[in-house]
Amino acid sequence: MNEFELIARYFQRPTPRALLGVGDDCALLAPRPGMALAVSVDMLVEGRHFFADVDPESLGHKALAVNLSDLAAMGAQPAWCTLALALPRTDEAWLGAFARGFYALADAAGIELVGGDTTRGPLTISIQVAGEVPIGQPLLRSGACAGDEIWVSGELGAAAVAVMARNGELVLNPETLRLCGERLDWPTPRLALGRRLRGLASAALDLSDGLVGDLGHICARSACAAVIAWERVPVHPALAGLPEVVLRQAALAGGDDYELCFTAPVAHHARVVALAQELGLQLSCIGRIEAGEGVTVAGANGDEIALSRTGFDHFAS
């Protein structure tokens, strides 16, 4: 099976929303009137972003999910994507499973694969996504203001604990390992939440590298400070019983959660609570925005909690 047969067999499907999809030198795309294109790209490298023995179906899902999470953070509706895939060899069973995971999520999210590239090399997956968001309505990192509340979706920490366990740093019982592994391998991009936060949130981003580190990007872009109340951070219930130091490191700085963190004016509190009920999604108010700079985590007694690190950095970790 050569490169072009591989593409045709596993990655070429009709793309009715695109003017032109896979098969030419470029795809041709046209956003709807009044819409801006939100574009993002993420790269996943074996041994850096995923373990070598990961299930290829879950990898196909996650490779797309982490990109869709960026669109969710901007309040965008997914439209098109491209896939660049470096493979050490052609393995039909692996490719079939990867494509199943990829397309199951693509179909659920309403996104079309319109192009890409394949080559031989160390296993590397790079996906670029494009979505539509009404002009003037995207969620940005730069809109937080002093007095705003800080919110986070879902529950945090389980994916980071799964990484610790797979690296041999923790020993978990089988059920806890299964639950944490699901959070690591099958993240859920919060697309519906992102779209509903347009006009409601003042700033937003997705949590890929850890709550404290990622929230710091909102603080930097908005020229403000953030105070998180540790007792209000929604730690995944599967982590009950783990040492407090592990819980804090996983939920505050562990990464791989792909939940949304956003700020909203206090006057919008009731609307956010109602949205959580409508979506059937846990939304937790975990702190506030203040004047100043940086992110502080406060314990139950008000004292600052020190962390050994605040998030993942590819060039420092």
Side-chain angles (χ1 to χ4, degrees):
M1 182 169 53
N2 63 35
E3 176 184 0
F4 302 103
E5 291 169 336
L6 184 158
I7 294 169
R9 181 179 302 183
Y10 295 105
F11 300 112
Q12 189 162 5
R13 301 200 310 182
T15 54
R17 293 178 59 188
L19 300 179
L20 183 67
V22 175
D24 282 72
D25 290 302
C26 294
L28 297 178
L29 313 173
R32 291 173 294 169
M35 294 289 184
L37 278 181
V39 180
S40 181
V41 62
D42 269 312
M43 183 186 303
L44 279 72
V45 179
E46 181 180 359
R48 190 64 174 172
H49 299 91
F50 59 90
F51 293 90
D53 60 352
V54 68
D55 168 44
E57 186 170 354
S58 72
L59 183 58
H61 169 96
K62 183 171 184 176
L64 181 56
V66 301
N67 286 272
L68 292 174
S69 186
D70 287 331
L71 292 181
M74 297 289 289
Q77 171 66 46
W80 306 287
C81 66
T82 59
L83 168 65
L85 189 60
L87 298 166
R89 67 193 67 83
T90 55
D91 181 330
E92 295 189 27
W94 190 97
L95 282 164
F98 178 90
R100 282 196 305 275
F102 178 93
Y103 276 121
L105 181 56
D107 290 343
I111 195 167
E112 297 177 347
L113 180 65
V114 295
D117 191 25
T118 57
T119 189
R120 181 187 293 265
L123 183 56
T124 305
I125 305 154
S126 184
I127 295 176
Q128 184 179 59
V129 291
E132 295 179 322
V133 61
I135 293 174
Q137 295 186 33
L139 303 175
L140 305 177
R141 298 179 178 184
S142 55
C145 298
D148 284 355
E149 294 177 322
I150 303 168
W151 296 80
V152 67
S153 66
E155 297 156 334
L156 308 182
V161 166
V163 172
M164 294 178 194
R166 292 179 185 180
N167 281 330
E169 301 168 24
L170 285 176
V171 177
L172 304 176
N173 65 61
E175 180 62 9
T176 300
L177 183 60
R178 181 187 68 80
L179 292 171
C180 292
E182 287 181 354
R183 290 287 296 163
L184 176 65
D185 296 333
W186 297 90
T188 301
R190 303 300 186 184
L191 292 164
L193 172 62
R195 293 193 297 271
R196 295 296 301 276
L197 287 177
R198 295 195 302 241
L200 184 59
S202 54
L205 48 57
D206 77 322
L207 298 178
S208 56
D209 295 323
L211 173 61
V212 172
D214 286 334
L215 180 56
H217 299 315
I218 286 181
C219 292
R221 295 283 289 177
S222 298
C224 63
V227 178
I228 297 172
W230 163 240
E231 71 273 12
R232 293 162 67 178
V233 174
V235 178
H236 196 287
L239 309 187
L242 291 179
E244 183 79 359
V245 64
V246 173
L247 293 179
R248 289 177 177 176
Q249 200 62 43
L252 294 172
D256 268 309
D257 288 307
Y258 297 102
E259 296 290 349
L260 295 189
C261 177
F262 60 95
T263 62
V266 175
H268 291 174
H269 184 96
R271 292 175 60 191
V272 176
V273 171
L275 178 60
Q277 295 173 342
E278 182 180 340
L279 296 177
L281 176 63
Q282 180 176 344
L283 299 178
S284 303
C285 182
I286 62 169
R288 66 185 182 277
I289 296 295
E290 297 184 346
E293 61 182 22
V295 180
T296 301
V297 182
N301 59 1
D303 293 340
E304 181 177 353
I305 295 175
L307 298 172
S308 59
R309 63 183 180 89
T310 58
F312 184 80
D313 185 323
H314 290 285
F315 296 97
S317 302

